[in-house]
């Protein structure tokens, strides 16, 4: 949240990260996007009217920040190295999503907008937005694919309880991609008085930066906490990646921690040697396979960073799951929140430059990760976060002696899915699910 | 380009010479490329002065339900960019043709993400211009350069929210015509002409470029009203697709499309007559 | 946690609060109860082996303490006074229950016990215990009435995911009372190596004191927070009461804040005048009516403090819902966690002495409280906590200018119940639930 | 009381004089108070030396499934303390009767929570003692005082976990007999005699009070084994309730109960014979 502005503020192509990013939106939305850019710079970057102070205070009192960084005793023992968990599952609403939702709804308020819209896939971003909108007294409508509405009922109820309207989107396969399309259409119609709260570090500039900045509290806290608790920086930081908001939120503070980097500025109060190197791992959903079925337009995974190609979707140039002709694929993951064919442009850039290492684990490894954390640590993680935990199991030997894993959310929302998916498989880490039907 | 706008393009000529112009849109491949060919020719016969052909993209964020559905039918029928261009290769019309598609379709044509192969092929197929609903002026540099190289117009949309500095910039870069978006929102047939249309045309009146109004135009009377309000042309899409979608047999739509085009063209002309009461229809200023 | 020991430690009737409390348990359990008393005194009261330090650290890192005290902007406006919410809903597991569960499981570990058992009603205490047991690597079995197993499936799944066994209890009406009976039976059989983690401030001494002490962090934090945030003590503190653990946990630090009390000792670091008086309100479930059906043995409420009579249940003398002959009633509340015919003995005592004011609100008022907080503040409260919020609506004019309400848990577990119950009624504060079935 | 234990009670006498004693338990009101009367008389005929009658309480935390079920049947049949006492008023048996119930039932009898009215009424009905499974010695002061006032025994349970100082305290306060809990856990018929029984009896051997063993005794052979191990009596409950629960018609159980009591008494006697090989059966020391 520092020097970016000067770098990207007023160039002809604003808001890019190397080749990625940009503002590929209909003309009707450009003025709103620019208005947002301006508001982002003033309120978020420059704390005008004390915006960031209010944001931080509300995140403390309403959201429950800071979240703990917890040493995972039994995982540490299992992997014979120090494992720390960043506990975003404890944030109000049950996931990191509120960091962003509250930031944007508050910003909309500062901008004088009268109405909030948002898309949601699994419903996590929708519930976070509905909570933030209720808290800040803003009317709110959430677009959600029909398939998702039907399979994520509890989240639909939560949004409605918070007073939000939920609009089912009947188009296409009725999932996240269609919900985003439809929210953009609403925005194109009502743009003058409406703010569109995008749910991840995707979309046109300034969304990827702004969402990252709202989420960067995760890594800022974690970096400070690990220095206090383990007296040094971690060797590796691991986070799952769908759109990449928990990922960028966790990584942002660590990106400068490179062996080859310039020494940190003198006012870095950490007092740490600038030469500690922190590896960053973005773990995507490997789904059932990394192979793509071009004919059917189906990718049975959401491993965009590992297998995607460059293109433009939902306002930004980034890595995508697409056919050679440019049609966007239906992605797949057992975890609805990772089930997206795109990824944030900054993450594409950091992967391209080698700063972030992309990885993926398949549905089964993620399910085992879910069960393992539940049984060993008494924390039921979101299926999204379970991908980071599955990766830890697979790759711990390469992660050094001190590892931070972001637990982006809690798994209460996933119980039914996990039961169903567990019953289909023979999972090493699962309890005996058959006896659940007592 | 600013110096190139002085050379009148096919598209600009088509609008100015046939004033008040009728611009029609259908989605290529809906329900099949063979049908599209017949439909385009019917629209041409019916009096279209310019025809936009949609190359379907899976995420049409600027379209309302009618065109979304057409795009889905076209994709389900297996419409590809290659098939699209072959169709264009084949079509014979009086009216120049434009392609309307989303930016990713343009980028992905060819082996690397690059706009040039698409533009080259478009020129080769005889297309006169390109409209990209998700490409604002700020991001259009590479595509505009390629279009310039191949003598294609890159048509910009002017929205009800386009004002001030941005409006100036866009108007200074107009190539072919200014696509005046009649109202906020997405494409789709509407029952009336919005107040925003009048406002936009008023805002644009000082700019001496052809203006065509789209988004929601569905009847001859709309066309009349819009032309009367100062537009040089009307753009009609969803109303035509409704005809295609509601015909039991694809070939049934052919005559209906021709008739609808004729109705719209007549409507537009009515607008000129009324308008003529007030002021003279603008003449092409540069021959 | 200070002078109690001397007062109650070795008297012939240990662990009483005035006339209430005691140790009414089968002889076979007495040695275990005394062993626990001893462990409680050493580890909890005297911090032997750093027990309390470890407990507090785990509650910070694993549990997410401290929880915020949040100013509720829209409630404050609605009631034209300052309303603050103590956010126990943000604790790991979603309710205050973990404070106690983690404390007891850790204590069991210090005592060298090898196995954990617990009863659960709605499943909140069971899930908290299962989480704590997983975290501390202790085998765990939870007893749960068959009716509750069937209607609280997600909590059954959560316990199983955490590796706990769930034993359905077929006896009686298959709810909390039967589950407690059955857990006591297990304990009577396995007492030598097993610790029974009671879920509220009930049971034989030392449970009521010990559970209160583990929960007292709620009020200790809240008292400090309100002094920091509002620069004074509140006029009233409101908490719901089932067994009374969130209640006593919230009240304990405020009990000495009486107008008539002795000045606080000189080392009271708050620097506050000792004469500020804090009213304490314990809000019970009024159910559908406060009338009792003696013939059927049914109380359509759980308003023990308001309507109960003295008797002995589950190890302690306290107020009970019972027939004139002494048979315990089936209680009822829309909120499973309040649905208990007894209440903690200390709370009975504090009500008897006038320090705590008992109150009750019926199902409908509680449901409106649920909807109101959800819509106005973006917090979906537990149905239990909704009773405190319903009381706030009814009684705010009598509560003074500065009110603290404990939000003991979150309401995700209650969505289905709330929908069902809302559909039956015409609730002022509810969204239109019919359209949920889109 | 310590000075009062020197005066032998009905209960102590019944055990010492009928050594080895059979103590039987059934729940009053299961399935009805009329049936209970007949059952009690049958148990008396069968050779019971002491009969415990359960006054049902809704939360029987010390009982296993068999007695829980009996209690539920009794409560469903509307059994009340009043009915219970009227039944006792009515019953004629050789064996003294005790009431076994939970503390809250005792407290609530009468208009205020107080133990006295219950004890008074129990004495009036001719009961000889009280057993309260959820009342440990530490909480028994008020009830013991009332019992003393009315000449009733308050019987204490000695569990496998009762040791050291607590054991001493309890044994010094024994009135009637020491109820030796055969094993950890709840009541209920078991297939064998637990090792804990032998350990407990060994631990108690130095105390000169009658000891009766309950929890799990179901067959004559168990009775024999227990008596042989040094007990003065056996207590049998669940095995009798099984007979009641399994009889198609309530009156069918009468003969079965009598026969079962006789079998158990014979078993107990067999225990004495074997035991006689080793040591002489203890004689009442104070006449
Ligand atoms: C708990 C959780 N983690 C991760 C994600 C993925 O989103 P992102 O990659 O933007 O963090 C989601 C999305 O719903 C989520 O709910
Ligand atoms: C959220 C919540 N609040 C309150 C209660 C009532 O328990 P207590 O009165 O012991 O706080 C429960 C019990 O399950 C609960 O889950």
């Amino acid at each position: 949240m520092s020097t970016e502005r000067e770098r990207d503020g007023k160039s002809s192509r604003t808001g890019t990260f190397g080749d990625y990013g940009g503002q590929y939106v209909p003309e009707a939305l450009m003025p709103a996007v620019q208005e947002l850019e301006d508001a982002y710079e003033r309120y978020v970057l420059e704390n005008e009217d004390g915006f960031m102070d209010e944001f931080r205070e509300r995140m403390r009192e309403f959201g429950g920040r800071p979240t703990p960084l917890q040493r995972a005793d039994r995982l540490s023992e299992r992997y014979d190295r120090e494992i720390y968990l960043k506990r975003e599952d404890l944030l109000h609403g049950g996931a990191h999503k509120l960091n962003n939702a509250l930031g944007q709804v508050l910003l909309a308020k500062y901008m004088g907008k009268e109405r909030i819209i948002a898309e949601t896939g699994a419903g996590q971003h929708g519930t976070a937005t509905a909570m933030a909108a209720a808290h800040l007294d803003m009317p709110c409508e959430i677009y959600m694919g029909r398939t998702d509405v039907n399979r994520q009922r509890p989240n639909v109820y939560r949004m409605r309880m918070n007073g939000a309207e939920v609009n089912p989107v009947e188009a296409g396969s009725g999932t996240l991609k269609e919900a985003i399309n439809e929210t953009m259409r609403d925005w194109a119609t009502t743009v003058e008085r409406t703010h569109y709260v995008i749910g991840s570090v995707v979309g046109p500039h300034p969304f990827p930066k702004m969402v990252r900045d709202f989420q960067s509290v995760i890594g800022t806290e974690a970096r400070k906490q690990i220095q206090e608790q383990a007296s040094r920086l971690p060797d590796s930081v691991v986070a799952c990646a769908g759109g990449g908001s928990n990922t960028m939120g966790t990584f942002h503070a660590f990106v400068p921690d490179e062996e080859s980097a310039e020494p940190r500025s003198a006012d870095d109060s950490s007092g740490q040697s600038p030469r500690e190197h922190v590896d960053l791992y973005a773990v995507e959903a490997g789904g059932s396979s990394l192979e793509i079925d071009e004919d059917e337009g189906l990718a049975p995974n959401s491993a965009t960073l590992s297998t995607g190609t460059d293109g433009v979707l939902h306002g930004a140039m980034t890595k995508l799951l697409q056919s050679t002709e440019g049609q966007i694929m239906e992605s797949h993951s057992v975890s609805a929140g990772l089930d997206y064919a795109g990824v944030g442009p900054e993450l594409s850039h950091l992967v391209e430059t080698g700063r972030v290492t992309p990885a993926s684990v398949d549905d089964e490894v993620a399910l085992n990760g879910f069960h393992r954390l539940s049984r060993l640590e008494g924390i039921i993680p979101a299926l999204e976060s379970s991908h980071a935990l599955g990766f830890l199991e697979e790759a711990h030997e390469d992660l050094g002696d001190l590892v931070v894993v972001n637990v982006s959310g809690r798994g209460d929302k996933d119980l039914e899915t996990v039961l169903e998916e567990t019953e289909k498989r023979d999972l090493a880490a699962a309890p005996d699910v058959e006896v659940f039907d007592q | 380009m600013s110096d190139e706008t002085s050379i009148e393009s096919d598209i600009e000529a088509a609008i100015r010479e046939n004033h008040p112009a009728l611009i029609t849109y259908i989605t290529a491949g809906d329900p099949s490329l063979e049908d599209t060919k017949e439909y385009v020719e019917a629209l041409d016969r019916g009096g279209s002065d310019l025809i936009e052909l949609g190359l379907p993209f899976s995420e049409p964020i600027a379209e309302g339900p009618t065109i979304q559905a057409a795009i889905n039918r076209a994709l389900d029928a297996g419409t590809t960019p290659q098939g699209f261009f072959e169709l264009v290769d084949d079509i014979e019309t009086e009216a120049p043709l434009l392609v309307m598609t989303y930016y990713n379709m343009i980028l992905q044509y060819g082996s690397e993400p690059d706009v040039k192969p698409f533009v080259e092929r478009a020129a080769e197929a005889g297309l006169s211009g390109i409209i990209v609903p998700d490409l604002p002026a700020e991001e259009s540099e590479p595509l505009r350069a390629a279009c310039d190289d191949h003598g294609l117009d890159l048509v910009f949309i002017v929205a009800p929210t386009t004002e001030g500095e941005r409006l100036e910039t866009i108007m200074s870069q107009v190539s072919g015509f200014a696509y005046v978006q009649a109202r906020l929102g997405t494409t789709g047939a509407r029952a009336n002409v919005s107040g925003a249309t009048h406002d936009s045309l008023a805002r644009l009146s000082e700019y001496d470029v052809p203006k065509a109004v789209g988004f929601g135009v569905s009847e001859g009377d709309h066309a009349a009203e819009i032309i009367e309000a100062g537009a040089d042309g009307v753009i009609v899409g969803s109303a035509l697709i409704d005809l295609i979608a509601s015909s039991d047999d694809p070939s049934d739509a052919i005559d209906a499309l021709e008739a609808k085009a004729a109705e719209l063209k007549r409507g537009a002309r009515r607008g000129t007559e009324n308008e003529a009461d007030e002021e003279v229809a603008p003449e092409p200023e540069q021959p």
Side-chain angles (χ1 to χ4, degrees), chain A, chain B:
Chain A
M1 240 179 281
S2 51
T3 59
E4 312 268 8
R5 191 188 180 188
E6 299 86 78
R7 207 174 74 217
D8 317 300
K10 294 288 157 204
S11 75
S12 67
R13 288 202 69 218
T14 52
T16 54
F17 308 92
D19 293 338
Y20 300 101
Q23 298 181 308
Y24 298 88
V25 295
E27 172 57 26
L29 292 179
M30 277 306 287
V33 161
Q34 291 183 340
E35 183 191 350
L36 184 65
E37 218 176 311
D38 179 60
Y40 163 62
E41 288 172 8
R42 283 165 43 213
Y43 296 120
V44 180
L45 299 185
E46 292 163 14
N47 191 27
E48 192 174 305
D49 297 343
F51 172 85
M52 284 303 289
D53 302 329
E54 177 169 352
F55 170 58
R56 291 203 187 95
E57 183 181 325
R58 288 192 187 273
M59 282 312 301
R60 262 197 317 273
E61 289 197 10
F62 176 64
R65 299 220 73 89
T67 60
L69 181 74
Q70 180 204 334
R71 181 177 187 279
D73 296 347
R74 298 181 68 194
L75 291 186
S76 296
E77 197 180 310
R78 181 178 181 91
Y79 300 130
D80 195 21
R81 65 206 65 220
E82 293 291 293
I83 310 293
Y84 282 79
L85 306 174
K86 180 62 175 165
R87 297 288 307 278
E88 291 300 297
D89 61 302
L90 291 176
L91 206 65
H92 183 47
H96 70 291
K97 295 282 174 190
L98 187 72
N99 295 320
N100 169 42
L102 190 84
Q104 287 199 49
V105 178
L106 189 65
L107 189 65
K109 211 157 184 170
Y110 273 63
M111 290 170 73
K113 298 288 176 185
E114 292 159 19
R115 177 174 172 265
I116 291 298
I117 55 174
E119 89 290 349
T120 200
Q124 291 304 103
H125 174 57
T127 55
T129 304
M131 285 179 156
H135 177 65
L136 294 167
D137 198 9
M138 287 278 257
C140 174
E141 286 181 46
I142 306 290
Y143 289 89
M144 189 170 184
R146 161 62 67 194
T147 309
D148 287 337
V149 165
N150 291 341
R151 69 183 171 184
Q152 307 280 346
R153 280 282 150 159
N155 274 341
V156 175
Y157 299 151
R158 290 167 83 197
M159 291 185 262
R160 296 285 291 116
M161 298 287 179
N162 286 139
E165 297 298 325
V166 177
N167 303 321
V169 178
E170 309 289 347
S173 64
T175 59
L176 178 60
K177 198 160 56 71
E178 288 78 22
I180 297 184
N181 294 345
E182 202 59 33
T183 318
M184 289 223 166
R185 289 182 189 114
D186 178 320
W187 203 29
T189 312
T190 61
V191 58
E192 287 151 315
R193 55 188 196 89
T194 299
H195 176 69
Y196 175 10
V197 177
I198 284 188
S200 191
V201 288
V202 300
H205 175 74
F207 283 107
K209 277 186 208 230
M210 183 174 72
V211 175
R212 176 204 67 200
D213 286 350
F214 287 137
Q215 292 289 2
S216 67
V217 63
I218 304 174
T220 305
E221 284 176 8
R223 193 171 182 280
K224 192 159 154 269
Q225 288 164 325
I226 194 80
Q227 285 178 313
E228 282 164 11
Q229 293 171 230
S231 308
R232 69 172 181 96
L233 290 179
D235 296 312
S236 303
V237 175
V238 181
C240 69
S245 67
N246 91 92
T247 337
M248 281 313 306
T250 309
F251 292 172
H252 188 56
F254 294 101
V255 167
D257 296 314
E258 285 195 272
E259 204 125 51
S260 57
E262 293 293 300
R264 285 184 161 246
S265 65
D267 65 1
D268 178 355
S269 58
S270 72
Q272 289 294 309
S273 148
R275 299 245 160 245
E276 290 185 66
H277 184 84
V278 179
D279 286 335
L280 307 173
Y281 292 89
V283 186
E284 295 186 300
S288 54
S289 153
L290 292 184
E291 302 292 316
I292 276 181
D293 182 342
E294 275 247 1
D295 290 347
E296 287 296 314
L298 279 177
N301 63 69
S302 317
T304 319
L305 291 170
S306 310
T307 71
T309 54
D310 296 353
V312 166
L313 176 65
H314 295 145
M317 174 82 75
T318 189
K319 290 187 183 290
L320 301 177
L321 299 180
Q322 57 184 335
S323 71
T324 50
E325 286 157 6
Q327 307 296 358
I328 307 305
M329 299 274 177
E330 295 292 340
S331 57
H332 167 77
S333 167
V334 68
S335 139
L338 299 184
D339 199 347
Y340 180 55
V343 68
E346 186 173 13
L347 214 39
S348 291
H349 174 63
L350 291 172
V351 164
E352 204 62 28
T353 60
R355 182 65 192 95
V356 167
T357 309
S360 67
V361 300
D362 66 18
D363 290 345
E364 188 158 323
V365 172
L367 286 162
N368 272 320
F370 176 98
H371 288 300
R372 206 177 299 108
L373 197 73
S374 300
R375 301 189 79 173
L376 294 185
E377 297 287 348
I379 301 168
I380 301 177
L383 266 178
E384 291 79 11
S385 325
S386 300
H387 284 74
L389 296 156
F391 175 72
L392 182 68
E393 172 87 3
E394 305 253 292
H396 59 272
E397 296 193 349
D398 305 327
L399 302 181
D401 297 329
L402 182 56
V403 184
V404 169
V405 181
N406 189 42
V407 181
S408 54
R410 59 172 143 91
D412 305 51
K413 67 183 178 63
D414 295 317
L415 292 174
E416 293 289 342
T417 308
V418 168
L419 279 173
E420 256 172 51
E421 297 289 334
T422 300
E423 255 168 49
K424 291 188 209 157
R425 294 174 171 87
D426 190 20
L427 294 180
D432 184 1
V433 293
E434 273 145 56
V435 302
F436 284 25
D437 309 310
Q438 284 144 330
Chain B
M1 316 91 262
S2 37
D3 48 8
E4 287 181 89
T5 41
S6 56
I7 297 161
E8 194 173 88
S9 66
D10 288 357
I11 290 175
E12 187 167 352
I15 294 178
R16 297 207 188 262
E17 285 162 18
N18 298 296
H19 185 275
L22 172 65
I23 306 174
T24 49
Y25 166 92
I26 58 172
T27 302
D30 167 30
S32 78
L33 288 171
E34 294 73 51
D35 294 313
T36 303
K37 182 165 188 295
E38 308 240 35
Y39 295 162
V40 168
E41 287 164 3
L43 291 171
D44 192 46
R45 285 193 303 278
S48 302
D49 302 306
L50 209 55
I51 298 173
E52 292 176 20
L53 257 185
L55 167 61
F57 175 53
S58 57
E59 318 302 317
I61 58 170
E63 319 300 345
T66 307
I67 298 184
Q68 278 181 60
I71 288 175
N72 287 339
R73 290 191 296 268
L75 288 174
D76 288 347
T79 308
T80 62
Q82 191 182 336
F84 172 87
F85 285 126
E86 285 166 6
L87 165 73
V88 177
D89 286 340
D90 241 32
I91 284 180
E92 300 280 335
T93 53
E94 293 237 337
L97 297 182
L98 291 95
V99 54
M100 176 149 178
T101 194
Y102 287 75
Y103 194 51
N104 199 49
M105 294 304 295
I106 295 172
L107 268 183
Q108 304 306 326
Y109 192 80
S111 52
E112 296 276 281
D114 181 3
V115 297
K116 290 198 206 90
F118 185 95
V119 177
E120 208 172 288
R121 180 70 179 89
E124 187 192 306
L127 287 161
S128 303
I130 305 184
I131 306 181
V132 191
D134 64 344
L135 190 73
E138 284 79 353
E139 299 287 1
S140 63
E141 183 52 43
L143 183 59
R144 205 164 41 195
C147 285
D148 286 348
D149 284 352
H150 291 87
L152 263 62
D153 281 335
L154 178 60
V155 174
F156 287 110
I157 293 172
V158 176
T161 49
T162 312
E163 291 176 344
E165 221 180 294
R166 292 198 73 255
L167 180 61
E168 301 238 344
T169 319
I170 293 172
M171 292 310 284
S172 74
Q173 299 175 4
V174 162
S175 117
F177 65 97
Y179 188 130
V180 179
Q181 184 178 328
R183 64 187 80 221
L184 283 177
T186 54
T187 56
R190 301 298 204 297
N192 59 3
V193 175
S194 87
T197 307
H198 296 269
D199 295 348
S200 293
L201 287 172
R203 212 159 60 242
L204 293 178
S205 61
E206 55 182 275
Y207 295 97
D208 175 31
V209 295
K211 296 140 208 148
V213 173
F215 277 52
V217 185
S218 60
E219 293 170 22
D221 287 348
H222 298 164
E225 186 181 341
I226 287 166
I227 296 299
E228 195 174 349
D232 302 297
V234 294
I235 309 169
V236 182
S238 298
L240 302 173
I241 288 172
D242 282 339
L243 296 176
I244 296 172
S246 63
S247 59
D248 291 335
D249 187 278
S251 59
D252 293 353
I254 299 174
D255 292 345
L257 286 171
E258 182 175 343
K260 186 77 187 177
E263 174 209 325
L264 290 160
K265 181 75 188 181
R266 274 195 309 276
R269 288 228 179 81
R270 271 205 311 283
T272 332
E273 286 153 23
N274 303 350
E275 182 190 26
D277 299 346
E278 296 159 41
E279 53 163 318
V280 192
E283 283 287 298
E285 265 150 45
Q286 283 159 310

